[in-house]
Amino acid sequence: MEFDLENPLPLSHDSNADIISPLFNIETDHMPSKTYHQKLEHSDFHSSIRQATISIIFQMSHPFDPFLSYLAINYLDRFLSFHSLSEGKPWMLRLIAVSCVSLALKMRKTEYSATDIQQDGGMIFDIETIKRMEFLILSGLKWRMRSITAFSFINFFISFFKFKDLPLQQALKARATEIIFRAQNDIKILQFKPSLISASALLCASHELFPLQFPCYKAAILNCSHVHKDDLLSCYNVMQEIAKEGYESVLDIVSSTSTPVNVLDLQLSSSWSSDNEPITKSEDSCGGVLNAMATSSNRQENLKRRKIIDNSSAFSDAHNNVDIDV
């Protein structure tokens, strides 16, 4: 069975509870050690080793979809958290990177192999050497290769938003996915459980896209029995800073360009009346179509959010053909 980041356990999908509860119970088994992020924060040496290896992973996995590099980096962090390197030898870092990507390729059951990912002009390792390193990494991970990541919880938490319009749900999911990818490289995020990262990414995305409904969304997730409120708020604060960088870069672009109206724009603008007064709709307290945000003074901000939705929709469409359903 091909490994799916959103459905990591080969369980029946008949009951959502049957799937989600085991994920929350075992997610800590798929995290780096509790002191790993502290070691990285207080050691430039270990932090530089991690960043250098991640750069190599990105170079080798660039031709593939981004979920491959995400899985490989997950393996890397879990391995390095229990196996410190005494020296940052370039050949050793490259061998670890090749082996992590190779293991990710095997889990994805792609047609590519370690030979294919070494065609970037760097040092070439023979298959036996890679296999020995793979075995060392597998031993360090206790053979837990079906990683429980933030993507494993995204469908569970998005159900709290109770969207009636699928395009808006897809836009939220795509933006949260972008934030999760961005957050993986940040050292501070490594201390939090995958479920908290997932919930925080969705909250950050909803704050950008649906600010009027955000308090309802936040309250719903905070009341989830699987979530520790203080930990979620701490994780959300870190994620918000990470997400802000990408959001602000889009706003800068929007401020100097015009955004064409597309299908999503029409859906959003349908919540407006001709004189810019909100149209009242009967809908669920925390879901449904985006609430009216229209006044003449905030039209520019709405255009900025529409740009985020345009980008998120494009991101989602670009991955329709990859193996993992995101």
Side-chain angles (χ1 to χ4, degrees):
M1 178 182 296
E2 180 184 336
F3 175 64
D4 185 336
L5 281 171
E6 286 192 4
N7 300 293
L9 301 182
L11 299 175
S12 170
H13 288 218
D14 294 336
S15 171
N16 193 48
D18 291 341
I19 302 170
I20 288 299
S21 293
L23 292 180
F24 280 103
N25 292 336
I26 65 174
E27 62 176 324
T28 55
D29 294 335
H30 298 256
M31 291 176 58
S33 66
K34 295 181 179 180
T35 59
Y36 180 54
H37 78 281
Q38 296 176 346
K39 180 173 69 174
L40 295 177
E41 284 184 332
H42 295 93
S43 172
D44 291 339
F45 171 73
H46 290 100
S47 178
S48 63
I49 283 180
R50 178 182 186 263
Q51 195 55 52
T53 312
I54 287 177
S55 296
I56 300 172
I57 288 175
F58 279 138
Q59 291 172 10
M60 290 185 295
S61 58
H62 177 70
F64 309 95
D65 68 84
F67 301 101
L68 180 69
S69 60
Y70 187 91
L71 184 58
I73 295 171
N74 173 270
Y75 294 157
L76 173 69
D77 282 327
R78 290 164 58 196
F79 174 71
L80 290 182
S81 71
F82 294 103
H83 293 78
S84 297
L85 301 179
S86 58
E87 297 181 36
K89 297 179 179 179
W91 68 266
M92 178 59 73
L93 301 186
R94 182 173 175 82
L95 177 58
I96 293 174
V98 169
S99 301
C100 286
V101 175
S102 177
L103 287 171
L105 283 170
K106 291 176 181 178
M107 289 301 294
R108 293 290 310 282
K109 291 189 176 180
T110 67
E111 60 186 28
Y112 301 98
S113 65
T115 302
D116 299 306
I117 62 177
Q118 294 190 84
Q119 304 301 319
D120 59 355
M123 185 181 299
I124 305 297
F125 298 102
D126 62 81
I127 298 301
E128 288 304 316
T129 300
I130 296 173
K131 284 183 178 180
R132 286 195 294 270
M133 178 53 72
E134 286 180 348
F135 184 80
L136 181 61
I137 293 173
L138 288 169
S139 299
L141 302 185
K142 299 180 180 179
W143 294 83
R144 293 172 177 147
M145 304 306 293
R146 304 185 69 86
S147 297
I148 310 300
T149 72
F151 294 106
S152 306
F153 301 91
I154 199 163
N155 286 329
F156 171 73
F157 284 116
I158 209 170
S159 66
F160 285 74
F161 292 71
K162 301 185 185 301
F163 280 109
K164 294 178 182 177
D165 288 355
L166 183 59
L168 297 183
Q169 177 179 308
Q170 291 173 334
L172 177 68
K173 187 175 181 179
R175 177 57 182 150
T177 297
E178 290 180 311
I179 295 172
I180 292 171
F181 281 139
R182 180 183 292 272
Q184 190 182 29
N185 292 336
D186 195 295
I187 293 171
K188 296 187 293 294
I189 211 67
L190 294 171
Q191 62 185 299
F192 298 109
K193 296 179 181 179
S195 59
L196 296 178
I197 296 172
S198 180
S200 297
L202 283 167
L203 286 177
C204 289
S206 67
H207 187 267
E208 294 175 2
L209 301 177
F210 318 121
L212 293 186
Q213 292 179 323
F214 172 74
C216 267
Y217 297 152
K218 183 178 179 181
I221 290 182
L222 283 174
N223 287 327
C224 173
S225 60
H226 293 291
V227 170
H228 188 281
K229 294 182 180 180
D230 291 340
D231 290 344
L232 176 59
L233 293 175
S234 297
C235 184
Y236 171 71
N237 290 333
V238 173
M239 293 287 281
Q240 199 171 34
E241 289 301 314
I242 296 170
K244 185 178 178 181
E245 298 177 10
Y247 182 51
E248 289 182 337
S249 66
V250 172
L251 299 191
D252 292 338
I253 295 173
V254 174
S255 63
S256 60
T257 60
S258 59
T259 307
V261 177
N262 61 13
V263 175
L264 273 176
D265 288 332
L266 293 175
Q267 288 186 7
L268 294 175
S269 61
S270 68
S271 298
W272 300 46
S273 64
S274 58
D275 58 356
N276 291 336
E277 290 297 322
I279 293 177
T280 302
K281 291 193 175 185
S282 174
E283 57 187 28
D284 294 337
S285 59
C286 292
V289 180
L290 175 63
N291 282 342
M293 299 183 293
T295 62
S296 57
S297 62
N298 69 4
R299 263 190 177 277
Q300 182 65 23
E301 186 64 20
N302 289 330
L303 282 176
K304 295 173 182 179
R305 291 192 185 94
R306 291 176 193 173
K307 183 66 176 180
I308 290 285
I309 291 178
D310 289 344
N311 285 2
S312 297
S313 299
F315 180 90
S316 180
D317 292 340
H319 291 84
N320 282 340
N321 294 325
V322 299
D323 292 332
I324 298 179
D325 178 22
V326 174

